[in-house]
């Protein structure tokens, strides 16, 4: 017996007892250059080969490192290289596990080391207490008051 999920044919069998979960399978929140991790739990799947294929939305392969935890679970790590949708296909014994393929959105991420702050508001000298000033951060102009009033 076979069934079709998301256009992918899945044969009835032990792969239906295998599960994949973890932060690396979130539909969003993943970032370029940040390793993402998922776990494959095959404790109920019997013995079969695990196969994981990851690719970005431009159909480029993404390297996946698989660690056998010696308890029928596997820790899988991949690092997205582009801020595009990614797909991870997990199969057990040459058939996809439930919910595979998994699709995730990968963002550019946050890079605080690339932020530049300049202008008078951040000068080492010359600021006057309680006088408004400004500074530019990453092309955005921010206004603030120098000094704090106590109640």
């Amino acid at each position: 017996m076979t069934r079709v999920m998301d256009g992918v044919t899945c044969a009835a069998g032990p792969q239906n007892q295998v599960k994949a979960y973890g932060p690396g399978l979130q539909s969003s929140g993943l970032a370029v250059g940040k390793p993402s991790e998922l776990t494959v739990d095959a404790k109920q799947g019997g013995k079969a080969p695990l196969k994981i294929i990851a690719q970005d939305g431009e159909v480029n392969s993404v390297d996946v490192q698989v660690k056998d935890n010696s308890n029928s679970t596997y820790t899988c790590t991949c690092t997205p290289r582009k801020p595009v949708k990614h797909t991870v296909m997990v199969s057990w014994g040459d058939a996809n596990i439930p919910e595979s393929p998994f699709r995730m959105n990968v963002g550019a991420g946050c890079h605080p080391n690339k932020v530049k702050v300049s202008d008078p508001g951040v000068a080492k000298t010359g600021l006057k207490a309680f006088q408004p000033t400004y500074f530019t951060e990453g092309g955005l102009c921010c206004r603030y008051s120098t000094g704090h009033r106590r109640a």
Side-chain angles (χ1 to χ4, degrees):
M1 177 176 159
T2 61
R3 65 183 183 164
V4 177
M5 290 179 53
D6 253 349
V8 178
T9 303
C10 300
Q15 73 280 355
N16 290 325
Q17 302 301 314
V18 177
K19 297 178 178 111
Y21 56 89
L25 295 179
Q26 297 178 116
S27 61
S28 63
L30 303 178
V32 168
K34 182 179 177 188
S36 60
E37 188 174 282
L38 66 104
T39 300
V40 176
D41 181 343
K43 291 176 184 170
Q44 304 298 315
K47 294 213 182 256
L50 170 65
K51 184 176 181 182
I52 299 180
I53 298 171
Q55 61 186 28
D56 66 24
E58 298 169 352
V59 197
N60 297 308
S61 293
V62 177
D63 189 41
V64 180
Q65 293 80 40
V66 178
K67 176 186 169 206
D68 184 344
N69 298 321
S70 301
N71 64 353
S72 297
T73 67
Y74 302 84
T75 301
C76 309
T77 307
C78 67
T79 304
R81 298 286 174 218
K82 293 183 179 183
V84 296
K85 288 185 180 184
H86 282 61
T87 301
V88 174
M89 293 157 280
V90 181
S91 63
W92 185 253
D94 295 325
N96 282 352
I97 69 167
E99 299 184 42
S100 178
F102 301 91
R103 292 179 175 83
M104 299 78 74
N105 291 313
V106 176
C110 180
H111 304 283
N113 58 327
K114 294 184 179 179
V115 174
K116 300 208 185 305
V117 179
S118 61
D119 289 327
V122 292
K124 291 183 181 181
T125 61
L127 294 176
K128 296 179 182 174
F130 305 109
Q131 294 296 312
T133 188
Y134 68 94
F135 65 94
T136 303
E137 176 270 321
L140 300 174
C141 185
C142 306
R143 299 196 180 280
Y144 69 99
S145 176
T146 60
H148 302 282
R149 295 184 193 264
R150 295 185 185 192

